């Protein structure tokens, strides 16, 4: 049986990718430190190793013992806005941890390394929708770390022959998302606030636009990618095409949750105004797939959230810089 490693498999996207891989007959080993995920997210039938990708000795031992055919690297702390204030934490977990995995993949002859990057690598692109052909100009440490891993995979392929596939997802939402994380995942934040009878909080005037991507349109493509030869050593945007303003999203979330919208606008934060991408390349290589509408995706997530219940927002304990930190994140 083909054996694969899924890092971050107790998290949101990782748990869905694990489920897709098991459905395709792979033997799945999940590595997760449970810092942002939950053990009950780990898919039935997957093996589980509790540990961090930053632990070099552990990574070496796991690769030596398990002899993985493929690596699906989804472990990350994907709080883009917060990354300005947690630089050391961001680069340690999102960059150096990835390097540990790349080194081990080279040394143990992994057939392909699948990496979830982010459209954060583009920064404030002068052209929309963002295309894989655009020159990246990340504007925050999170995007910088993702781009650095992309470049490392490219040079590792050139130097050592390690095959890779890079996905740049954006604003993914759906069941199993950690709705208790106050720093990321705006759909989950909104739904959690509604469950607690709080207003939905929006930074700035809410006219910033994003394309919100339903998880079940994303995870299957990631899982099947290693069986598509034309995907090897390529970069793909992945997600929804239709952009919405954050104001429009708030109204749609309230409708899905069955409540009247209550919105509280906070002072603006430093973020890219408009960010959404083209998916012509992935459609060309993987074929066109049906896309879940925002309404249907939010309804599915809302049904899960209502059953799951609210989560208490946790303060991040590793803030390194407090200058210009949004006041709401200090509470």
């Amino acid at each position: 049986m083909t054996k694969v490693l899924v890092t971050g498999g107790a998290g949101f996207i990782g748990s869905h990718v694990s489920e897709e891989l098991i459905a395709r007959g792979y033997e799945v080993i999940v590595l997760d430190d449970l810092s942002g995920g939950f053990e009950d997210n780990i898919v039935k039938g997957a093996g589980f190793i509790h540990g961090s990708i930053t632990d070099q000795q552990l990574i070496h031992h796991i690769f030596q013992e398990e002899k993985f055919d493929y690596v699906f690297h989804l472990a990350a702390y994907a709080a883009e806005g917060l990354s300005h204030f947690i630089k050391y934490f961001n680069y340690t977990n999102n960059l150096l941890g990835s390097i540990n995995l790349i080194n081990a993949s080279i040394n143990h002859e992994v057939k392909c390394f699948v990496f979830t990057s982010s459209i954060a690598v583009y920064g404030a692109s002068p052209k929309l929708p963002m295309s894989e052909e655009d020159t990246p100009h990340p504007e925050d440490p999170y995007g910088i770390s993702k781009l650095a891993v992309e470049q490392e995979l490219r040079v590792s392929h050139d130097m050592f022959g390690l095959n890779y596939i890079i996905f740049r997802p954006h604003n993914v939402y759906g069941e199993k998302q950690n709705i208790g994380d106050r720093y990321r995942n705006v759909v989950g934040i909104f739904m959690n606030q509604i469950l607690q009878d709080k207003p939905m909080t929006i930074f700035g005037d809410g006219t910033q636009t994003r394309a919100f991507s339903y998880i079940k349109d994303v995870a299957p493509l990631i899982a099947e990618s290693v069986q598509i030869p034309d995907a090897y050593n390529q970069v793909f945007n992945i997600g929804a095409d239709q952009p919405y303003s954050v104001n429009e999203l708030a109204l749609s979330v309230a409708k899905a949750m069955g409540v009247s919208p209550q919105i509280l606008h906070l002072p603006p934060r430093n973020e890219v105004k408009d960010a959404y991408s083209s998916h012509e390349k992935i459609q060309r290589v993987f074929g066109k797939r049906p896309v879940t509408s925002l309404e249907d995706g939010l309804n599915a997530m809302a049904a899960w959230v209502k059953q799951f219940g609210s989560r208490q927002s946790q303060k991040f304990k590793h803030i390194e810089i407090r200058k210009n930190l949004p006041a709401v994140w200090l509470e």
Side-chain angles (χ1 to χ4, degrees):
M1 183 179 290
T2 303
K3 185 179 288 189
V4 302
L5 173 67
V6 179
T7 69
F12 169 44
I13 301 179
S15 64
H16 283 272
V17 171
S18 297
E19 186 174 14
E20 293 288 339
L21 289 166
I22 286 178
R24 287 165 171 75
Y26 293 97
E27 180 181 355
V28 174
I29 304 294
V30 166
L31 173 65
D32 202 298
D33 65 3
L34 302 180
S35 61
F38 303 95
E39 196 163 352
D40 55 8
N41 277 353
I42 298 170
V43 178
K44 183 179 180 181
F48 174 51
I49 299 171
H50 185 191
S52 172
I53 60 173
T54 64
D55 186 337
Q56 285 183 306
Q57 290 186 335
L58 176 64
I59 296 302
H60 173 73
H61 173 74
I62 292 171
F63 275 73
Q64 192 170 45
E65 290 295 315
E66 300 293 347
K67 296 178 173 51
F68 300 113
D69 295 286
Y70 303 104
V71 170
F72 290 80
H73 178 30
L74 297 105
Y77 190 64
E80 187 175 348
L82 187 63
S83 67
H84 290 286
F85 309 97
I86 56 168
K87 296 178 187 293
Y88 181 85
F89 183 91
N90 169 75
Y91 290 120
T92 299
N93 287 273
N94 295 342
L95 176 53
L96 296 181
S98 300
I99 298 305
N100 288 338
L101 294 167
I102 292 171
N103 285 346
S105 296
I106 294 168
N107 288 331
H108 296 277
E109 299 185 343
V110 165
K111 296 176 183 177
C112 188
F113 189 106
V114 181
F115 176 56
T116 51
S117 183
S118 168
I119 67 164
V121 303
Y122 293 115
S125 175
K127 181 174 71 69
L128 292 170
M130 300 164 172
S131 166
E132 295 90 346
E133 297 178 358
D134 297 342
T135 301
H137 291 287
E139 295 195 349
D140 54 69
Y142 174 69
I144 292 169
S145 66
K146 288 293 189 179
L147 181 58
V149 177
E150 289 190 15
Q151 293 174 329
E152 178 57 43
L153 284 169
R154 178 179 56 81
V155 299
S156 293
H157 171 69
D158 293 344
M159 186 72 177
F160 305 109
L162 175 65
N163 290 315
Y164 64 85
I165 303 168
I166 294 168
F167 290 99
R168 292 173 177 167
H170 51 96
N171 300 98
V172 185
Y173 70 94
E175 300 90 322
K176 297 186 180 181
Q177 193 163 56
N178 181 1
I179 64 172
D181 192 327
R182 65 166 74 179
Y183 307 105
R184 54 180 175 167
N185 308 324
V186 63
V187 174
I189 290 171
F190 283 171
M191 290 187 177
N192 199 39
Q193 289 171 331
I194 288 171
L195 288 176
Q196 298 179 59
D197 295 320
K198 296 178 180 178
M200 292 177 283
T201 53
I202 296 176
F203 289 101
D205 63 9
T207 59
Q208 57 268 49
T209 58
R210 303 289 188 270
F212 300 96
S213 309
Y214 185 51
I215 183 61
K216 293 184 180 178
D217 295 336
V218 172
L221 296 178
I222 296 174
E224 70 182 73
S225 63
V226 294
Q227 299 302 323
I228 299 178
D230 287 346
Y232 276 43
N233 308 310
Q234 298 293 322
V235 179
F236 299 98
N237 296 332
I238 184 171
D241 292 306
Q242 178 64 47
Y244 295 88
S245 72
V246 177
N247 288 329
E248 291 173 318
L249 175 70
L251 298 179
S252 296
V253 169
K255 181 180 178 182
M257 294 292 286
V259 301
S260 298
Q262 298 181 56
I263 297 173
L264 173 64
H265 287 273
L266 302 174
R269 65 179 184 180
N270 182 20
E271 63 178 323
V272 173
K273 172 72 173 176
D274 301 295
Y276 51 93
S277 60
S278 164
H279 304 103
E280 292 180 4
K281 182 176 180 180
I282 197 168
Q283 290 170 1
R284 186 169 65 249
V285 174
F286 286 73
K288 286 195 174 183
R289 310 295 176 93
V291 177
T292 305
S293 69
L294 181 63
E295 181 179 12
D296 289 345
L298 291 177
N299 285 338
M301 182 175 175
W304 173 80
V305 163
K306 290 175 184 178
Q307 181 180 17
F308 181 74
S310 66
R311 285 275 186 179
Q312 192 64 36
S313 296
Q314 300 295 319
K315 288 184 66 174
F316 191 80
K317 297 179 181 179
H318 305 285
I319 301 295
E320 300 157 20
I321 299 173
R322 294 187 176 270
K323 183 178 181 179
N324 297 333
L325 184 71
V328 68
W329 289 347
L330 287 169
E331 295 175 359

